[in-house]
Amino acid sequence: MTIDLTVSDEVRALAPGFTHVVIEARGLVNGPSTDATAALLDDAARRLAARLGGRAPHEDPHMAAWRAAYTAFGAKPSRTRNSAEALARRALADGGLPRINALVDLYNAISVAHLIPVGGEDLDRIKGGMRLVRATGDEDFVTAAAGERTVEHPDAGEIVWCDDEGVTCRRWNWRQGPRTRLTEESVNAIFLLEGMGPDAGLEAAGAELAELLEKVSPGAQVAVG
């Protein structure tokens, strides 16, 4: 891995069961969603439905563990859901999953199929390393509102991913900022798979995502760590 990724002691104390798998990929080819990536999203929704067996996503033990972690740092998990639960709800709704671009479709499909939070960041837009910390409340989170650039600040004690320039994702994995998100021009990326507890299934999910990345971008350098 060429990027330094750290989890603070404060976060580990609050959520000792937190685990993660990182995939670094270079030389990727991205572009608009395709029939193949759309089919992956549809298949992921079917896999999710089979896993849940009629239950709501938040009733899954892994999502319950994430809700407990969100509650521990002061978030309301029924209002600001972790990314996996939010995607799962969309997957099961009539409209289904959104089609964003090829790379985002891939990691969204893995998130839904395995019911784990998965994020993707453009490595060329990350400044320095990435850190998972409890916010002071002074950090900048650059986003957009009504089409205009705006700067927000996380709540004090909120868990955030950040780099040397500011917050890249608020409330752990709830809301990603536009600065580092994957676009159709992205060629180098880091994918972060996050879990709570030893049974989250991150290794299998990571292996599947790495295989998909190599399939859609032959010749890409993909490392799992």
Side-chain angles (χ1 to χ4, degrees):
M1 293 290 167
T2 61
I3 188 169
D4 184 34
L5 188 147
T6 58
V7 179
S8 74
D9 291 341
E10 286 185 314
V11 172
R12 294 204 180 278
L14 182 139
F18 174 66
T19 59
H20 64 276
V21 166
V22 181
I23 299 175
E24 187 174 305
R26 294 182 177 274
L28 295 166
V29 178
N30 199 12
S33 301
T34 65
D35 289 345
T37 64
L40 283 172
L41 291 169
D42 291 340
D43 181 63
R46 288 189 289 270
R47 291 167 67 181
L48 172 68
R51 170 182 175 138
L52 292 174
R55 295 174 298 164
H58 71 268
E59 295 176 298
D60 183 271
H62 191 215
M63 293 299 93
W66 271 104
R67 283 194 165 212
Y70 269 50
T71 299
F73 71 81
K76 292 180 169 36
S78 60
R79 292 179 56 191
T80 55
R81 297 178 176 88
N82 74 79
S83 64
E85 184 182 330
L87 264 184
R89 286 167 59 90
R90 294 192 71 172
L92 298 173
D94 289 342
L97 288 165
R99 277 61 169 159
I100 307 297
N101 60 56
L103 290 179
V104 175
D105 289 354
L106 291 190
Y107 79 72
N108 278 349
I110 294 299
S111 176
V112 168
H114 293 266
L115 201 53
I116 58 173
V118 182
E121 307 278 359
D122 190 319
L123 269 174
D124 297 322
R125 300 186 181 195
I126 295 289
K127 307 300 182 184
M130 291 184 64
R131 302 178 297 280
L132 186 66
V133 301
R134 298 200 73 175
T136 64
D138 297 326
E139 299 89 347
D140 287 345
F141 177 69
V142 179
T143 184
E148 297 293 327
R149 180 184 184 275
T150 184
V151 178
E152 300 176 356
H153 303 283
D155 299 327
E158 180 182 325
I159 293 183
V160 297
W161 280 103
C162 60
D163 65 1
D164 290 350
E165 190 167 312
V167 173
T168 58
C169 197
R170 286 197 59 187
R171 292 181 188 158
W172 214 315
N173 47 52
W174 166 68
R175 185 180 176 197
Q176 183 186 31
R179 172 171 61 90
T180 59
R181 68 178 47 152
L182 295 177
T183 68
E184 292 182 16
E185 288 73 44
S186 299
V187 293
N188 302 311
I190 185 171
F191 300 90
L192 183 63
L193 297 79
E194 300 179 288
M196 287 290 169
D199 300 322
L202 298 188
E203 289 74 17
E208 186 176 348
L209 178 53
E211 183 179 346
L212 287 172
L213 291 170
E214 290 169 347
K215 183 177 180 180
V216 301
S217 296
Q221 296 177 313
V222 180
V224 181

